[in-house]
Amino acid sequence: MHATHHCKARQAQRGIPLKMVDYVLTHGSQSRDKVVFGDREARQRLAELDEERRLLMKIKDKGGVVVVANGETVITTYNLTSRN
């Protein structure tokens, strides 16, 4: 997306980096001509990331996890470190 000179000036004045703008455009909710990502959404996203981090730490502790599937059917699962 192209940013106007006005937008770039306001970003600089308000301390809003391009990465933040991109994040809001990706994860925010559209409301007419605006994309909004508020405090509530930020707290919810942080909670989701915390939960994902806990899950990833458990997977890491197992040395990885393997899931064997055929189409939509999960056949078995095992710790990656148990593989010969």
Side-chain angles (χ1 to χ4, degrees):
M1 189 172 281
H2 173 73
T4 63
H5 176 70
H6 174 83
C7 176
K8 290 176 186 176
R10 295 303 170 265
Q11 272 183 262
Q13 288 174 343
R14 297 169 180 156
I16 301 174
L18 185 57
K19 279 188 172 188
M20 196 178 292
V21 172
D22 289 339
Y23 192 89
V24 170
L25 289 172
T26 302
H27 299 284
S29 18
Q30 184 95 26
S31 174
R32 295 188 182 203
D33 62 342
K34 300 175 186 177
V35 180
V36 179
F37 193 85
D39 180 64
R40 182 182 306 151
E41 292 86 1
R43 282 185 278 127
Q44 180 180 352
R45 183 73 179 127
L46 282 169
E48 291 168 0
L49 289 171
D50 287 343
E51 180 61 33
E52 184 175 354
R53 186 179 193 289
R54 281 191 292 275
L55 180 63
L56 288 169
M57 290 301 293
K58 288 179 183 178
I59 291 171
K60 179 189 158 294
D61 290 345
K62 292 182 169 293
V65 173
V66 177
V67 176
V68 180
N70 184 5
E72 294 294 314
T73 305
V74 175
I75 298 169
T76 192
T77 184
Y78 54 91
N79 297 335
L80 185 59
T81 55
S82 68
R83 186 181 73 184
N84 291 337

